[in-house]
Amino acid sequence: MNKSVEKEYKWRADELLLSRALLWASARIGSQSRTIHMESSYYDTADGMLRESKTALRLRRENERSVCCMKIRGAESGTEGLRAHEEYQCDAETLKEGLAKLPGNGAPEALCEQLMQRELVETCTVSFRRCAVLLQEKDTVCELALDQGELRREGRSAPLCEIELEYVAGDEKAFHALAAELADQLDLIPENESKLARALKLSQN
């Protein structure tokens, strides 16, 4: 199995911080931005098997594209705001189609086959608009994501506003340095919980 490890920093934000982060990114040479409207539905078995195994399964509409994604959380990085986990995704219109295709992209085949035999229920939804800015510093490439929207679960909702910086390619030290610069200049506060984790907590409030 070929692991695809996603590394990203995540910080809390508000509208002002999103604007300041966009200005910071736009001032850098070679930055390219695009807007993506995202509607994510997360799924689990009725007994919460995926939650117990620290695995997330979602089907997300990204503008006109439909993507199935599985994330498996790794060990804590020890660096505040930095998250690292296995991530596998493929174009798919349905969960069944996605689970059939994900092993070809490296996802655990046994887990995907098991999930195809189980009844999956929607646990929560997350809708947001993302301004994605591709940044390049010499041979290092990363993506700045400015997200604003809403978390929803069982009739309850909460606003979503956050900043992410995801490693794409190149020198990882330069990526971490860029994240430190952004956090320092904007005085950012790390967000240590995923969108899914925060959405699932809504029914507990």
Side-chain angles (χ1 to χ4, degrees), residues 95-134:
L95 277 181
K96 186 175 181 179
E97 179 188 359
L99 289 169
K101 293 168 67 174
L102 282 174
N105 290 345
E109 185 173 1
L111 176 58
C112 291
E113 289 180 353
Q114 184 181 6
L115 290 173
M116 288 183 72
Q117 304 303 316
R118 300 284 299 272
E119 181 181 355
L120 297 173
V121 295
E122 184 180 86
T123 59
C124 60
T125 60
V126 181
S127 303
F128 59 99
R129 183 185 65 184
R130 167 171 289 179
C131 177
V133 187
L134 197 64

Coordinates of all heavy atoms in Angstrom, one line a residue, residues 95-134:
L95 N -20.6 7.0 -2.6 CA -19.7 6.3 -1.7 C -19.3 4.9 -2.2 O -18.1 4.6 -2.1 CB -20.3 6.1 -0.3 CG -20.3 7.3 0.7 CD1 -21.0 6.9 2.0 CD2 -18.9 7.8 0.9
K96 N -20.2 4.2 -2.7 CA -19.9 2.8 -3.2 C -18.9 2.9 -4.3 O -17.9 2.1 -4.3 CB -21.2 2.2 -3.7 CG -21.0 0.7 -4.1 CD -22.3 0.1 -4.5 CE -22.1 -1.4 -4.9 NZ -23.4 -2.1 -5.3
E97 N -19.0 3.9 -5.2 CA -18.1 4.0 -6.3 C -16.7 4.4 -5.7 O -15.7 3.9 -6.1 CB -18.5 5.1 -7.3 CG -17.6 5.3 -8.4 CD -17.9 6.5 -9.3 OE1 -19.0 7.2 -9.0 OE2 -17.2 6.8 -10.2
G98 N -16.7 5.3 -4.7 CA -15.5 5.8 -4.1 C -14.8 4.7 -3.4 O -13.5 4.5 -3.6
L99 N -15.5 3.9 -2.6 CA -14.8 2.8 -1.9 C -14.3 1.7 -2.8 O -13.3 1.0 -2.5 CB -15.9 2.2 -0.9 CG -16.2 3.1 0.3 CD1 -17.4 2.5 1.1 CD2 -15.0 3.2 1.2
A100 N -14.9 1.5 -4.0 CA -14.4 0.6 -4.9 C -13.1 1.1 -5.6 O -12.2 0.3 -5.9 CB -15.5 0.3 -6.0
K101 N -12.9 2.4 -5.7 CA -11.8 3.0 -6.4 C -10.6 3.3 -5.5 O -9.5 3.4 -5.9 CB -12.2 4.2 -7.2 CG -13.2 3.9 -8.4 CD -13.8 5.1 -8.9 CE -12.9 6.1 -9.6 NZ -13.6 7.2 -10.3
L102 N -10.9 3.6 -4.2 CA -9.9 4.1 -3.3 C -8.7 3.2 -3.1 O -7.6 3.6 -3.0 CB -10.5 4.4 -1.9 CG -11.3 5.8 -1.8 CD1 -11.9 5.9 -0.5 CD2 -10.3 7.0 -2.1
P103 N -8.9 1.8 -3.0 CA -7.7 1.0 -2.9 C -6.7 1.1 -4.0 O -5.5 1.0 -3.8 CB -8.3 -0.4 -2.9 CG -9.7 -0.2 -2.3 CD -10.2 1.1 -2.9
G104 N -7.2 1.5 -5.2 CA -6.3 1.7 -6.4 C -5.4 2.9 -6.2 O -4.4 3.1 -6.8
N105 N -5.8 3.8 -5.2 CA -5.1 5.0 -4.9 C -4.3 4.8 -3.6 O -3.8 5.8 -3.0 CB -6.0 6.2 -4.8 CG -6.5 6.6 -6.2 OD1 -6.0 6.1 -7.2 ND2 -7.5 7.4 -6.3
G106 N -4.3 3.6 -3.1 CA -3.5 3.3 -1.9 C -4.2 3.1 -0.6 O -3.6 2.8 0.4
A107 N -5.5 3.3 -0.6 CA -6.3 3.2 0.7 C -6.3 1.7 1.1 O -6.2 0.8 0.2 CB -7.7 3.7 0.5
P108 N -6.5 1.4 2.4 CA -6.5 0.0 2.8 C -7.6 -0.8 2.2 O -8.8 -0.5 2.4 CB -6.7 0.1 4.4 CG -6.3 1.5 4.7 CD -6.6 2.4 3.5
E109 N -7.3 -1.8 1.4 CA -8.3 -2.5 0.7 C -9.3 -3.3 1.6 O -10.5 -3.3 1.3 CB -7.6 -3.5 -0.3 CG -8.5 -4.3 -1.2 CD -7.8 -5.1 -2.2 OE1 -6.6 -5.2 -2.2 OE2 -8.5 -5.8 -3.0
A110 N -8.8 -3.9 2.7 CA -9.6 -4.6 3.6 C -10.7 -3.7 4.2 O -11.8 -4.1 4.3 CB -8.8 -5.3 4.6
L111 N -10.3 -2.5 4.6 CA -11.2 -1.6 5.2 C -12.2 -1.1 4.2 O -13.4 -1.1 4.5 CB -10.4 -0.4 5.7 CG -11.3 0.8 6.3 CD1 -12.1 0.2 7.5 CD2 -10.4 1.9 6.8
C112 N -11.8 -0.8 3.0 CA -12.8 -0.4 2.0 C -13.8 -1.5 1.7 O -15.0 -1.2 1.5 CB -12.1 0.0 0.7 SG -11.1 1.6 0.9
E113 N -13.3 -2.7 1.6 CA -14.2 -3.9 1.3 C -15.2 -4.1 2.5 O -16.4 -4.3 2.3 CB -13.4 -5.1 1.1 CG -12.7 -5.1 -0.3 CD -11.9 -6.4 -0.5 OE1 -11.8 -7.2 0.5 OE2 -11.3 -6.6 -1.6
Q114 N -14.7 -3.9 3.7 CA -15.6 -4.0 4.9 C -16.6 -3.0 4.9 O -17.8 -3.3 5.2 CB -14.7 -3.9 6.1 CG -15.5 -4.2 7.4 CD -14.6 -4.0 8.7 OE1 -13.5 -3.7 8.6 NE2 -15.2 -4.3 9.8
L115 N -16.3 -1.8 4.5 CA -17.2 -0.7 4.5 C -18.3 -0.8 3.4 O -19.4 -0.4 3.6 CB -16.5 0.7 4.4 CG -15.7 1.1 5.6 CD1 -14.9 2.4 5.2 CD2 -16.6 1.4 6.8
M116 N -17.9 -1.5 2.3 CA -18.9 -1.7 1.3 C -19.9 -2.7 1.7 O -21.0 -2.7 1.1 CB -18.1 -2.2 0.0 CG -17.3 -1.1 -0.7 SD -16.6 -1.6 -2.2 CE -18.0 -1.8 -3.3
Q117 N -19.6 -3.5 2.7 CA -20.6 -4.5 3.2 C -21.4 -4.0 4.3 O -22.4 -4.6 4.8 CB -19.9 -5.8 3.6 CG -19.0 -6.4 2.6 CD -19.7 -6.7 1.3 OE1 -20.8 -7.3 1.4 NE2 -19.1 -6.5 0.1
R118 N -21.1 -2.8 4.8 CA -21.8 -2.2 6.0 C -22.8 -1.1 5.5 O -22.6 -0.5 4.5 CB -20.8 -1.7 7.0 CG -19.8 -2.6 7.6 CD -20.4 -3.6 8.6 NE -20.9 -2.8 9.7 CZ -20.2 -2.5 10.8 NH1 -18.9 -2.9 10.9 NH2 -20.7 -1.9 11.8
E119 N -23.8 -0.8 6.4 CA -24.6 0.3 6.1 C -24.0 1.5 6.7 O -23.6 1.6 7.8 CB -26.0 0.1 6.8 CG -26.9 1.3 6.6 CD -28.3 1.1 7.3 OE1 -28.5 0.0 7.9 OE2 -29.1 2.1 7.2
L120 N -23.8 2.5 5.8 CA -23.1 3.8 6.2 C -24.2 4.9 6.4 O -25.1 5.0 5.6 CB -22.1 4.2 5.2 CG -20.9 3.2 5.0 CD1 -20.0 3.6 3.9 CD2 -20.1 3.1 6.3
V121 N -24.0 5.7 7.5 CA -25.0 6.7 7.7 C -24.3 8.1 7.7 O -23.1 8.2 8.1 CB -25.7 6.5 9.1 CG1 -26.6 5.3 9.0 CG2 -24.7 6.4 10.2
E122 N -25.0 9.1 7.3 CA -24.4 10.4 7.3 C -24.3 11.0 8.7 O -25.3 11.0 9.4 CB -25.2 11.4 6.4 CG -24.6 12.8 6.3 CD -25.5 13.7 5.4 OE1 -26.4 14.3 6.0 OE2 -25.2 13.7 4.2
T123 N -23.2 11.4 9.2 CA -23.0 11.9 10.6 C -23.1 13.4 10.7 O -23.6 13.9 11.7 CB -21.7 11.4 11.2 OG1 -20.6 11.9 10.3 CG2 -21.6 9.9 11.2
C124 N -22.7 14.1 9.7 CA -22.7 15.6 9.7 C -22.3 16.1 8.3 O -21.9 15.4 7.4 CB -21.7 16.1 10.7 SG -20.0 15.7 10.4
T125 N -22.5 17.4 8.1 CA -22.2 18.1 6.8 C -21.4 19.3 7.1 O -21.6 20.0 8.2 CB -23.4 18.4 6.0 OG1 -24.3 19.3 6.7 CG2 -24.2 17.1 5.6
V126 N -20.6 19.7 6.2 CA -19.8 20.9 6.3 C -19.8 21.6 4.9 O -19.5 21.1 3.9 CB -18.3 20.6 6.7 CG1 -17.6 21.9 6.8 CG2 -18.3 19.8 8.0
S127 N -20.3 22.9 4.9 CA -20.4 23.7 3.7 C -19.6 24.9 3.8 O -19.6 25.6 4.9 CB -21.9 24.1 3.4 OG -22.7 23.0 3.3
F128 N -18.7 25.2 2.8 CA -17.9 26.4 3.0 C -17.4 26.8 1.6 O -17.4 26.0 0.6 CB -16.7 26.1 3.9 CG -15.8 25.0 3.5 CD1 -14.6 25.2 2.9 CD2 -16.1 23.7 3.9 CE1 -13.7 24.2 2.6 CE2 -15.3 22.6 3.6 CZ -14.1 22.9 2.9
R129 N -16.9 28.1 1.6 CA -16.3 28.6 0.4 C -14.8 28.7 0.7 O -14.4 29.2 1.7 CB -16.8 30.0 0.0 CG -16.2 30.6 -1.2 CD -16.6 32.0 -1.5 NE -16.1 32.9 -0.4 CZ -16.4 34.2 -0.3 NH1 -17.3 34.7 -1.2 NH2 -15.9 34.9 0.7
R130 N -14.0 28.1 -0.2 CA -12.5 28.1 0.0 C -11.9 29.0 -1.0 O -12.1 28.9 -2.3 CB -12.0 26.7 -0.1 CG -10.4 26.7 -0.2 CD -9.9 25.2 -0.1 NE -10.1 24.8 1.3 CZ -9.7 23.6 1.7 NH1 -9.2 22.7 0.8 NH2 -9.9 23.2 3.0
C131 N -11.0 29.9 -0.6 CA -10.1 30.7 -1.5 C -8.8 29.9 -1.3 O -8.1 30.0 -0.3 CB -10.0 32.1 -1.0 SG -8.8 33.0 -2.0
A132 N -8.4 29.2 -2.4 CA -7.1 28.4 -2.4 C -6.1 29.2 -3.1 O -6.2 29.6 -4.3 CB -7.4 27.1 -3.0
V133 N -4.9 29.4 -2.5 CA -3.8 30.2 -3.1 C -2.6 29.2 -3.1 O -2.1 28.8 -2.1 CB -3.5 31.4 -2.3 CG1 -2.4 32.2 -3.0 CG2 -4.7 32.2 -2.0
L134 N -2.1 29.0 -4.3 CA -0.9 28.2 -4.5 C 0.3 29.0 -4.4 O 0.4 30.1 -5.1 CB -1.0 27.5 -5.9 CG 0.0 26.3 -6.1 CD1 -0.4 25.2 -5.2 CD2 0.0 25.9 -7.6

